Amino acid sequence: MRLLGLTLFDFKNLVRIKALWAYAFFLWAVGGVFLYLSGDETKVLLSLLSITLLIVPLVSVLFSITHLYDSANFIKLLLSQPVKRSEVLLGKFLALSVFLSFLFLLGVLPAVLRFRGEAFLLLVLSGFFLTFIYTALAFLIGVFFEEKARGVSVALILWLYTALIHDGFILSVIYLFGDYPLERVVIGLTLVNPVDLARLLVVLRTDVAALMGLSEAVFKEFFGSGFGSFLSALSLILWAIVPLLLALWRFRRKDL
Amino acid sequence: MEVLRVEDLRKSYRGLEVLKGVSFSLSEGEILAILGPNASGKTTLIKSILGHVIPDGGEIFVMGKSTKEGEGYRRYIGYMPQEPDFPENLSVGELLELLSSVRGQEPSRSRELIELFGLSPFLDKPFGRLSGGTKQKVSALLAFCFDPPLYILDEPTSGLDPVASVRFKSLLIRERERGKAVVLTSHIISEVQQVAKRVLFLLEGRVRINAGVEELLSESGEEELERAIIKLLGEER
């Protein structure tokens, strides 16, 4: 009950932050432009997916970590009450990740309602996963780094690497070691990046998987689209849970 | 009755000993001022009592309950931080509701305190639109409204205007008469002299003085607490 109370309290605060609604509006506007420019389901899906893979992690990690640092004094006030540390942190996590997921859903809703396909539902699901994962990662960074400037920098570097640089790294590996069988290496490299996993979750269920890149083609070939989707969803769940548990573990032992 | 007991409290940060075996106790109806220069261990001591800092050694008992037994003991504490910082978009009423639900207690004294600090016009306003002084009054309201047996007040009058400050000190004296125990830190020693019954002076993580205010004044032959402390410390050296 205390956890629910803390979550709802934070939720109320987040709902009233006007700047956050701009996130939903941005996604909604971009989705609208894609729908206007092309009525083709696959093109709209892939365009929205690219935006989702770039923007959702950025907004989630950056907003969550700044919100966490800015709440430090209030967290201390709450922890002067008969409340467990884990309840306070978990309440904040749930409020942030659920509200950011809700805003994401609002933003992509026009496209989802227009096409109503399985792939669009998977797009929504991958957006939810990314929101929970990058909020959890922000919390993990936030409880390990005392200084806000340092924590935010680490969060940005993490986003930059997972959203942009990691794919370049995979390509370099393929380019440099093209003469060797690389399937297992590529699968391993994909599993360590939540953005790639979220992409897989959506594209494996479409006809364009083979066109998207080597990791998608390898996954489809190795696991088939059904098991491949299951494996990527499972890995995404772990990506959200493990950093969150680590953050809770650290927070319970930390001097505030 | 003993409200707070600290036994041989020790804490180090990265090898630097901040508290080197601090012990004292506090009974009901007592106001204890924790004094000391910067880096003497005052903040770490208060944070340890609140459970914000995890001590390396020693034990703290609040109303006979060890703080090691979990967070339940904090229902006996009303805490007023040095810098009140609340979520900008929420109101005093909403925050009272939250604290009431997490403590499982009604804020039985809220009406009286809202009147005392003149907070009625601000109850529905978001915190982001309140002045620093008003936030400090809200902070006092939150600390006192659940009527706990122990108050921990960190520089409580720092943001208050003179009128509110006088009212706050009268409130403290009334609370003392009602049998409440108070731990207080303040930079203004004349203020401490007005309300505190006892002084705990920390220096480099150790208790150097733990004595009644009257006792300190008579022993030193001084009229001001500040001079009395300086004189006693000087004599020790």
Side-chain angles (χ1 to χ4, degrees):
Chain A
M1 272 315 282
R2 275 196 307 219
L3 177 63
L4 184 69
L6 289 162
T7 308
L8 288 176
F9 181 82
D10 252 320
F11 203 86
K12 258 193 243 173
N13 184 32
L14 293 172
V15 167
R16 293 176 201 170
I17 299 177
K18 290 184 190 114
L20 262 184
W21 290 90
Y23 169 48
F25 180 74
F26 172 78
L27 288 170
W28 181 83
V30 169
V33 169
F34 290 152
L35 280 174
Y36 176 75
L37 290 178
S38 164
D40 180 57
E41 185 174 343
T42 310
K43 278 185 188 164
V44 174
L45 174 76
L46 294 180
S47 309
L48 261 182
L49 178 64
S50 305
I51 291 293
T52 300
L53 297 177
L54 206 63
I55 297 299
V56 172
L58 178 66
V59 171
S60 304
V61 82
L62 208 56
F63 183 76
S64 300
I65 200 160
T66 40
H67 184 71
L68 190 65
Y69 281 119
D70 293 344
S71 313
N73 282 336
F74 186 62
I75 288 177
K76 282 182 204 161
L77 182 74
L78 283 178
L79 289 176
S80 311
Q81 314 298 323
V83 193
K84 284 190 168 63
R85 288 188 177 201
S86 51
E87 287 174 322
V88 171
L89 201 71
L90 204 57
K92 268 211 170 304
F93 172 78
L94 288 174
L96 269 168
S97 43
V98 170
F99 185 58
L100 288 173
S101 295
F102 167 73
L103 290 176
F104 168 74
L105 178 65
L106 271 188
V108 296
L109 204 57
V112 175
L113 289 177
R114 165 85 169 74
F115 297 110
R116 292 168 193 255
E118 185 199 1
F120 277 88
L121 290 178
L122 286 170
L123 173 78
V124 172
L125 191 66
S126 70
F128 287 175
F129 271 132
L130 287 175
T131 307
F132 275 74
I133 290 168
Y134 279 84
T135 305
L137 288 169
F139 273 51
L140 181 62
I141 297 166
V143 297
F144 268 95
F145 293 92
E146 285 303 318
E147 257 179 82
K148 182 177 177 180
R150 194 174 289 185
V152 171
S153 309
V154 172
L156 275 176
I157 290 168
L158 177 83
W159 169 77
L160 201 66
Y161 181 78
T162 52
L164 299 167
I165 299 172
H166 188 77
D167 281 353
F169 176 65
I170 295 184
L171 278 178
S172 318
V173 169
I174 294 168
Y175 178 74
L176 289 171
F177 303 102
D179 297 339
Y180 302 94
L182 285 174
E183 284 82 357
R184 281 170 202 280
V185 177
V186 170
I187 287 172
L189 286 173
T190 308
L191 288 174
V192 297
N193 185 2
V195 173
D196 281 348
L197 287 167
R199 183 189 292 121
L200 266 178
L201 187 68
V202 180
V203 259
L204 278 181
R205 308 297 289 176
T206 66
D207 306 331
V208 293
L211 299 175
M212 287 297 285
L214 186 67
S215 46
E216 284 80 2
V218 168
F219 250 71
K220 200 156 190 169
E221 189 191 310
F222 244 70
F223 301 115
S225 64
F227 187 66
S229 299
F230 170 75
L231 194 69
S232 53
L234 187 73
S235 312
L236 284 165
I237 291 171
L238 285 177
W239 260 108
I241 290 176
V242 174
L244 180 64
L245 289 179
L246 281 174
L248 285 169
W249 175 81
R250 170 80 182 136
F251 190 63
R252 283 173 56 189
R253 283 157 186 78
K254 192 184 166 184
D255 290 327
L256 301 172
Chain B
M1 190 195 162
E2 194 176 70
V3 177
L4 171 69
R5 183 151 48 96
V6 175
E7 283 178 0
D8 195 28
L9 195 67
R10 291 168 186 279
K11 178 70 189 174
S12 305
Y13 293 112
R14 295 187 190 99
L16 184 75
E17 269 189 289
V18 182
L19 294 177
K20 302 169 184 168
V22 170
S23 303
F24 66 94
S25 67
L26 184 67
S27 301
E28 47 180 27
E30 270 196 307
I31 299 183
L32 173 76
I34 299 181
L35 304 175
N38 289 341
S40 57
K42 290 181 307 231
T43 308
T44 307
L45 175 58
I46 284 188
K47 282 181 166 185
S48 304
I49 300 169
L50 291 166
H52 295 174
V53 157
I54 300 155
D56 299 332
E59 203 156 5
I60 301 167
F61 298 90
V62 178
M63 299 296 284
K65 255 188 142 177
S66 169
T67 56
K68 289 178 180 169
E69 287 168 27
E71 69 291 341
Y73 77 94
R74 291 192 215 128
R75 74 179 67 253
Y76 302 124
I77 297 177
Y79 168 56
M80 198 174 157
Q82 194 171 351
E83 283 171 41
D85 195 352
F86 309 110
E88 296 224 323
N89 303 295
L90 294 172
S91 66
V92 184
E94 284 167 320
L95 188 52
L96 265 178
E97 240 172 70
L98 173 78
L99 295 193
S100 176
S101 84
V102 297
R103 291 179 80 109
Q105 289 171 305
E106 282 301 309
S108 55
R109 298 183 63 197
S110 56
R111 198 173 293 175
E112 167 203 341
L113 294 159
I114 286 166
E115 207 171 300
L116 178 75
F117 291 118
L119 284 171
S120 321
F122 306 106
L123 289 184
D124 296 324
K125 291 214 168 96
F127 283 114
R129 281 167 48 195
L130 302 184
S131 70
T134 311
K135 282 184 191 166
Q136 191 76 346
K137 289 177 191 169
V138 171
S139 186
L141 165 71
L142 298 177
F144 287 85
C145 69
F146 295 100
D147 208 23
L150 173 64
Y151 298 118
I152 295 182
L153 314 172
D154 198 359
E155 301 278 346
T157 54
S158 60
L160 294 178
D161 57 73
V163 176
S165 181
V166 169
R167 282 189 184 157
F168 184 82
K169 280 180 252 173
S170 316
L171 173 70
L172 273 188
I173 290 164
R174 280 205 305 279
E175 292 304 304
R176 183 181 73 192
E177 284 160 2
R178 289 179 67 229
K180 304 289 179 177
V182 182
V183 173
L184 169 86
T185 69
S186 176
H187 274 107
I188 312 163
I189 300 199
S190 58
E191 191 176 87
V192 169
Q193 193 174 346
Q194 288 167 24
V195 292
K197 205 172 166 187
R198 211 146 55 84
V199 167
L200 190 82
F201 193 89
L202 293 180
L203 199 63
E204 291 167 359
R206 285 201 176 89
V207 177
R208 294 296 293 267
I209 298 173
N210 181 4
V213 172
E214 294 300 322
E215 192 187 330
L216 279 174
L217 294 175
S218 64
E219 242 178 63
S220 62
E222 294 286 345
E223 280 180 11
E224 284 173 28
L225 183 60
E226 198 166 6
R227 285 176 177 276
I229 291 172
I230 293 169
K231 196 169 178 183
L232 284 173
L233 288 175
E235 278 171 12
E236 263 186 49
R237 281 175 192 177

